[in-house]
């Protein structure tokens, strides 16, 4: 299961590698001869879909579906997973760019045979990532943890899911997806396999800081209400300070020592004004999300498929 968005540069390099690994697994008898490599074209504006159709014509092991428009990595992944459901015993999802070590798929399949329904691919080091990507990613995982979202450290979307786990995932109907946080909620026996993350084999990352931030905000607000609790806690502290302030002013008035304190007043007004706006923003984020979720809009639409062959 490989989501692809504008990957024309990298697909010709990585597709043969995926095929090689599939054939290796097949020759070892670990996976069925009918196993497929499924690409999900996430509304690419370049030649990605043409490449996928060409690949599927060359080799029946390649199949592809194309979404009606760009819906983002998480939705593309879910589209592929849901499309494979009922057709397979296991799925492995991986990025198209060859950053994740393809050869650990064998360990993943072995872990499945050992009884695991979920196997996470975990990066043992991030040396090949740029300093910026590494620090922002680490900040991301730290923030997720602090905000009460259970996620596997340094695990992106390279994972094996059994048919049983997929069926459970299908029951999560949320529209705003954060699979990294949703999969641990499913439960079942799970394990991790470690690998070194490589550099992208071509093309450029589609996750600039803005997308990373929105993924982080979405991950947190979809899976945790801790930010609202933080607002409540801050409100409580502010209320206590307010009470002390009232007592202080009252005593000051009784003692007749109330001098006009413009600066302190201005500071207090600015501070609480800011706090209130911020708190409203956090709560507004959840209200907005509730609104969007209640629409129950479809999470993806499949436009085309390669050939007429079913998986
Ligand atoms: N991707 C996608 N839709 C998008 C953005 C990305 O399907 O809107 C795919 C992309 O083709 C790749 C994977 O998601 O297979 C991860 O993206 P990328 O490698 O750009 O992210 P990074 O590894 O830098 O976090
Ligand atoms: Mg990548």
């Amino acid at each position: 299961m490989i989501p692809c968005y504008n990957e024309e540069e990298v697909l010709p390099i990585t597709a043969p590698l995926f095929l090689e690994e599939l054939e290796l697994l097949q020759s070892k008898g670990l996976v069925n001869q009918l196993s497929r490599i499924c690409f999900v074209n996430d509304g690419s504006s370049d030649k990605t879909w043409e490449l996928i159709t060409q690949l599927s014509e060359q080799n029946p092991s390649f199949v592809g579906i194309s979404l009606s428009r760009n819906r983002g990595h998480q939705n593309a992944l879910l589209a592929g997973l849901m499309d494979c459901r009922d057709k397979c015993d296991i799925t492995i999802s991986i990025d198209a760019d060859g950053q994740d070590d393809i050869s650990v798929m064998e360990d993943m399949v072995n872990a499945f045979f050992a009884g695991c329904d979920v196997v996470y691919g975990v990066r043992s080091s991030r040396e090949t990532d740029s300093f910026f990507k590494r620090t922002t990613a680490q900040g991301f995982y730290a923030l997720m943890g602090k905000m009460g979202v259970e996620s596997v450290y340094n695990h992106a979307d390279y994972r094996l899911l059994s048919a049983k786990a997929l069926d459970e995932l299908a029951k999560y109907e949320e529209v705003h997806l954060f699979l990294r946080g949703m999969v641990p909620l499913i439960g079942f026996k799970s394990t991790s396999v470690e690998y070194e993350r490589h550099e992208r084999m071509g093309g450029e990352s589609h996750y600039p800081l803005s997308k990373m931030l929105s993924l982080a905000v979405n991950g947190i607000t979809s899976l945790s209400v801790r930010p609202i609790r933080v607002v409540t806690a801050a409100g409580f502290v502010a209320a206590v300070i307010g009470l002390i302030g009232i007592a202080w002013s009252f005593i000051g008035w009784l003692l007749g020592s109330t001098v006009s304190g413009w600066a302190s007043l201005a500071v207090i007004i600015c501070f609480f004004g800011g706090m209130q706006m911020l708190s409203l923003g956090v709560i507004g984020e959840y209200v907005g999300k509730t609104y969007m979720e209640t629409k129950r809009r479809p999470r993806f639409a499949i436009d085309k498929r390669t050939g007429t062959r079913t998986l």
Side-chain angles (χ1 to χ4, degrees), residues 101-144:
D101 188 349
I102 299 172
S103 62
V104 299
M105 282 191 190
E106 188 173 334
D107 299 338
M108 289 186 166
V109 178
N110 282 327
F112 167 74
F113 284 122
C116 292
D117 283 292
V118 181
V119 187
Y120 301 102
V122 173
R123 295 160 194 169
S124 56
S125 77
R126 282 184 167 267
E127 264 150 40
T128 52
D129 277 350
S130 66
F131 173 75
F132 177 73
K133 179 98 197 177
R134 194 165 58 228
T135 37
T136 48
Q138 271 160 1
F140 172 85
Y141 289 109
L143 186 68
M144 300 299 292

Side-chain angles (χ1 to χ4, degrees), residues 14-283:
T14 51
L17 300 175
F18 290 129
L19 185 64
E20 209 177 286
E21 178 68 18
L22 179 72
E23 285 172 351
L24 182 77
L25 293 177
Q26 285 174 335
S27 68
K28 290 188 178 171
L30 288 171
V31 301
N32 193 289
Q33 291 299 324
L34 290 173
S35 300
R36 296 284 181 262
I37 297 166
C38 176
F39 295 105
V40 182
N41 174 36
D42 185 19
S44 303
S45 52
D46 65 359
K47 293 218 167 48
T48 303
W49 179 241
E50 280 77 12
L51 280 171
I52 295 172
T53 22
Q54 273 169 27
L55 284 167
S56 74
E57 277 157 21
Q58 284 160 14
N59 193 314
S61 290
F62 290 117
V63 290
I65 54 177
S66 185
L67 302 190
S68 59
R69 53 159 296 170
N70 179 252
R71 291 300 305 267
H73 182 197
Q74 301 288 303
N75 294 57
L77 228 128
L78 189 81
L81 291 174
M82 290 303 121
D83 204 55
C84 291
R85 219 178 126 213
D86 305 330
K87 292 176 189 140
C88 56
D89 298 322
I90 52 172
T91 57
I92 298 179
S93 51
I94 186 168
D95 289 354
D97 55 14
Q99 284 190 289
D100 303 317
D101 188 349
I102 299 172
S103 62
V104 299
M105 282 191 190
E106 188 173 334
D107 299 338
M108 289 186 166
V109 178
N110 282 327
F112 167 74
F113 284 122
C116 292
D117 283 292
V118 181
V119 187
Y120 301 102
V122 173
R123 295 160 194 169
S124 56
S125 77
R126 282 184 167 267
E127 264 150 40
T128 52
D129 277 350
S130 66
F131 173 75
F132 177 73
K133 179 98 197 177
R134 194 165 58 228
T135 37
T136 48
Q138 271 160 1
F140 172 85
Y141 289 109
L143 186 68
M144 300 299 292
K146 285 239 166 14
M147 284 298 144
V149 179
E150 194 188 325
S151 61
V152 178
Y153 187 69
N154 263 346
H155 156 71
D157 284 295
Y158 185 18
R159 73 175 80 80
L160 177 146
L161 289 175
S162 70
K164 193 163 95 181
L166 264 188
D167 283 344
E168 288 307 314
L169 184 66
K171 292 183 194 160
Y172 287 69
E173 290 183 348
E174 57 230 73
V175 179
H176 292 87
L177 299 170
F178 186 69
L179 291 169
R180 269 168 246 185
M182 286 157 70
V183 173
L185 295 178
I186 298 176
F188 294 136
K189 193 169 173 211
S190 69
T191 184
S192 311
V193 294
E194 292 209 345
Y195 63 91
E196 300 258 324
R197 185 160 156 99
H198 306 305
E199 276 177 55
R200 230 175 192 279
M201 293 192 180
E204 281 186 358
S205 169
H206 301 105
Y207 270 99
L209 184 64
S210 58
K211 261 200 191 174
M212 288 244 297
L213 278 177
S214 85
L215 186 73
V217 169
N218 185 34
I220 293 166
T221 53
S222 291
L223 292 153
S224 157
V225 288
R226 197 170 286 180
I228 295 194
R229 299 224 174 98
V230 173
V231 168
T232 313
F236 182 74
V237 172
V240 171
I241 296 173
L243 279 177
I244 295 169
I246 290 171
W248 178 46
S249 318
F250 188 65
I251 293 166
W253 177 72
L254 280 183
L255 297 176
S257 63
T258 41
V259 278
S260 54
W262 179 85
S264 58
L265 260 184
V267 167
I268 290 167
I269 290 170
C270 290
F271 176 71
F272 284 107
M275 283 269 285
Q276 276 160 5
M277 289 296 263
L278 185 76
S279 310
L280 268 180
V282 173
I283 295 162

